Amino acid sequence: QITLKESGPTLVKPTETLTVTCTVSGFSLTTGGVAVAWIRQPPGKALEWLALIFGNDDQRYSPSLRSRLAITRDTSKKQVVLTMTDMEPADTATFFCAHKDSGMTDFDYWGQGTLVTVSS
Amino acid sequence: SSVLTQPPAVSVAPGQTASISCGGDDVGRPSLHWYQQKPGQAPVLVVYDDSVRPSGIPERFSGFKSGNTATLTISRVEAGDEADYYCQVWNSNSNIIFGGGTKLTVL
């Protein structure tokens, strides 16, 4: 079955770069049309899409955060990595990764999420 | 920028019907989806492609779309349905948009 699991630091300092990793199983990261997305959720607030990477390595980014984000993958490790630069306290959030199937536009499987706090 | 507008809160008594709306220009695009999120948990897909229920989702959950408004309807509401609900689309620029979320309270 399809599973996703996020990992990364629980605390980062302002101005630092965040790196979070999504380790997947049950599907191939290189299948056409399949994608993995990163979505964040500040405490008590709504979901916000950040970035997405397709099976052909095509990457998409939220226009409002594009300059701070990079999404990459390591197919041998079955991992998708998101980096976010210049972190600030307002970036404190739970970061989720999610699976999109080929030909679909919904996210049918989600990881449990990882809470990242930005504080000095 | 694209916006999906949801009511912040909806309240309903057990056994009654809850309706949660999602409005905006991009609602009219193909394939709108709904997610349920309980406290401390990841979102769960409850309706995809406007009105299709994934396997394992009760028939009490249904989706409908007309023009620029989509509605998630939960019939015979149970205490366990209390959660936040989010709508989601891919907009005309291929960006993924989530609504602001609706907190469903079961009285």
Side-chain angles (χ1 to χ4, degrees):
Chain A
Q1 80 278 21
I2 290 174
T3 66
L4 305 95
K5 186 171 184 179
E6 305 88 348
S7 58
T10 58
L11 180 67
V12 298
K13 290 181 168 54
T15 75
E16 288 185 341
T17 294
L18 170 70
T19 299
V20 284
T21 300
C22 177
T23 303
V24 309
S25 66
F27 69 98
S28 172
L29 290 173
T30 60
T31 299
V34 168
V36 173
W38 281 98
I39 296 148
R40 72 175 177 177
Q41 185 174 39
K45 296 189 176 181
L47 302 168
E48 178 184 21
W49 170 66
L50 300 175
L52 178 144
I53 188 165
F54 285 95
N56 64 357
D57 205 24
D58 183 22
Q59 298 124 39
R60 306 284 174 86
Y61 295 98
S62 167
S64 62
L65 292 166
R66 170 183 287 274
S67 64
R68 299 174 54 202
L69 298 173
I71 188 169
T72 59
R73 67 184 184 183
D74 184 330
T75 56
S76 65
K77 295 182 179 179
K78 302 207 74 172
Q79 292 179 335
V80 175
V81 177
L82 179 77
T83 60
M84 188 170 188
T85 62
D86 196 21
M87 295 289 285
E88 56 184 67
D91 294 315
T92 293
T94 296
F95 287 73
F96 296 99
C97 57
H99 167 270
K100 184 199 83 66
D101 203 356
S102 179
M104 308 299 286
T105 58
D106 60 274
F107 298 106
D108 52 357
Y109 294 92
W110 294 64
Q112 64 193 19
T114 185
L115 175 62
V116 179
T117 301
V118 184
S119 175
S120 55
Chain B
S1 62
S2 298
V3 175
L4 296 179
T5 301
Q6 299 182 235
V10 168
S11 299
V12 64
Q16 300 302 304
T17 297
S19 295
I20 298 172
S21 63
C22 174
D25 291 343
D26 285 312
V27 170
R29 294 185 54 74
S31 303
L32 181 137
H33 319 296
W34 290 95
Y35 301 88
Q36 175 194 69
Q37 187 182 32
K38 296 181 178 180
Q41 298 184 20
V44 172
L45 182 68
V46 293
V47 168
Y48 67 94
D49 290 355
D50 300 340
S51 60
V52 183
R53 274 188 318 277
S55 174
I57 300 300
E59 291 184 6
R60 300 184 298 103
F61 289 80
S62 63
F64 176 77
K65 190 168 73 176
S66 177
N68 288 345
T69 301
T71 303
L72 175 69
T73 301
I74 309 171
S75 304
R76 302 181 300 282
V77 167
E78 304 173 356
D81 299 330
E82 189 161 285
D84 294 327
Y85 291 85
Y86 294 91
C87 55
Q88 175 249 315
V89 297
W90 287 54
N91 72 1
S92 55
N93 296 319
S94 295
N95 296 317
I96 296 158
I97 306 296
F98 287 93
T102 298
K103 180 177 181 60
L104 176 67
T105 299
V106 181
L107 301 170

